[in-house]
Amino acid sequence: MIKHERFEKNSILLLIGVLVVVSIGGLVEIAPLFFLESTIEKVKGMRPYAPLELLGRNIYIREGCYNCHSQMIRPLRDEVERYGPYSLAAESMFDHPFQWGSKRTGPDLARVGNKYSDEWHREHMADPRSVVPESIMPGYPFLIENKLEVGLLPAHLETNRTVGVPYSDEMIENAIIDARTQANPDADDVDGFLARYPKAQVRDFDGNPDRLTELDALIAYMQMLGTLVDFQAYEPGGENSR
């Protein structure tokens, strides 16, 4: 009791005590992280974005879609029942920057892949109220008019590799061809593309096979969101999580 009173009556002694306790607690929490190769649990099925998907993600960020749509389903019952399995850190391990957040003017998009058809997305981007009457989202009809610029893709993939995304030399070398291949099921090297990017969807996304547009890229990106991990087989810490 006497020792306790000494701390209470002496502000300097109390401050030193607080610093000591906080320092010990910080070391206990932080020090183990220096001995871990990664704090993200590896999950089967995850892969880097295909070039077309990566460009679509860039357009998604450019147009500010993240301001109204999060990509983070919390492990809460109402969230899981509405949107699907809660988000895993591994699903964003190749995102720079990641799209987690809590702002939802519109629904969360972490599991939007394959939820709607390409035609639905085309109508939604051109005139959101044509498919969701109560929507306050602005339209993006210009995306189908804008030619997709693919010339800088090899440099873009190489830059991502410098920050840890495992793009191989082969992926970088074929980046431009792969972007065009994903939007053309009749392309020559579809099998090679799918070998590089398993589970990638190959088709004409914007409904115009004669042009590769920004809408192709955006729909390709949105249609893959949440589709890479098999959640029916996934078990935390199990074989599917390595």
Side-chain angles (χ1 to χ4, degrees):
M1 184 65 179
I2 296 177
K3 293 181 179 179
H4 190 269
E5 288 181 351
R6 288 179 60 191
F7 276 94
E8 289 184 338
K9 294 178 179 180
N10 189 322
S11 60
I12 300 299
L13 192 59
L14 179 61
L15 177 60
I16 294 173
V18 170
L19 290 175
V20 170
V21 172
V22 170
S23 298
I24 294 174
L27 286 173
V28 170
E29 291 287 334
I30 297 172
L33 299 179
F34 290 98
F35 299 95
L36 295 177
E37 181 179 347
S38 173
T39 58
I40 299 177
E41 179 186 32
K42 294 182 179 180
V43 177
K44 283 186 178 180
M46 291 309 303
R47 59 162 173 80
Y49 291 110
L52 187 64
E53 297 163 357
L54 185 62
L55 290 179
R57 184 176 184 276
N58 291 347
I59 295 166
Y60 179 95
I61 294 173
R62 184 195 73 192
E63 298 302 330
C65 303
Y66 61 90
N67 288 315
C68 294
H69 298 280
S70 62
Q71 288 180 27
M72 181 180 69
I73 302 172
R74 302 174 188 84
L76 303 172
R77 180 177 177 180
D78 62 323
E79 296 253 327
V80 171
E81 288 185 351
R82 180 178 182 184
Y83 296 117
Y86 62 83
S87 297
L88 305 176
E91 293 181 275
S92 299
M93 66 190 300
F94 301 133
D95 285 6
H96 299 281
F98 59 80
Q99 299 300 301
W100 286 35
S102 59
K103 181 71 171 71
R104 288 179 185 159
T105 302
D108 186 275
L109 299 182
R111 303 275 174 261
V112 74
N114 292 333
K115 186 175 181 180
Y116 305 103
S117 67
D118 295 342
E119 182 180 4
W120 187 95
H121 282 290
R122 292 195 292 268
E123 294 293 330
H124 186 240
M125 297 309 297
D127 179 13
R129 278 151 293 285
S130 67
V131 290
V132 184
E134 67 275 13
S135 175
I136 61 171
M137 173 179 153
Y140 298 87
F142 56 88
L143 293 178
I144 198 169
E145 303 295 334
N146 290 354
K147 179 182 176 182
L148 186 65
E149 298 297 333
V150 298
L152 294 177
L153 264 172
H156 193 17
L157 265 64
E158 193 161 356
T159 299
N160 273 263
R161 184 164 69 174
T162 63
V163 293
V165 182
Y167 285 115
S168 66
D169 291 339
E170 182 185 11
M171 289 174 171
I172 294 172
E173 181 181 347
N174 289 279
I176 295 176
I177 295 174
D178 283 344
R180 292 173 175 151
T181 296
Q182 188 169 6
N184 180 13
D186 297 322
D188 294 334
D189 194 30
V190 172
D191 291 339
F193 167 74
L194 290 175
R196 287 185 285 275
Y197 302 99
K199 292 188 178 180
Q201 302 176 55
V202 180
R203 58 179 180 270
D204 172 34
F205 295 95
D206 72 348
N208 183 358
D210 297 327
R211 298 185 70 220
L212 185 63
T213 67
E214 291 187 342
L215 189 59
D216 275 310
L218 182 60
I219 294 177
Y221 168 66
M222 296 185 70
Q223 291 289 39
M224 63 77 57
L225 288 175
T227 65
L228 298 182
V229 178
D230 182 0
F231 282 95
Q232 292 184 341
Y234 173 76
E235 294 180 10
E239 291 186 0
N240 193 260
S241 64
R242 294 185 176 84

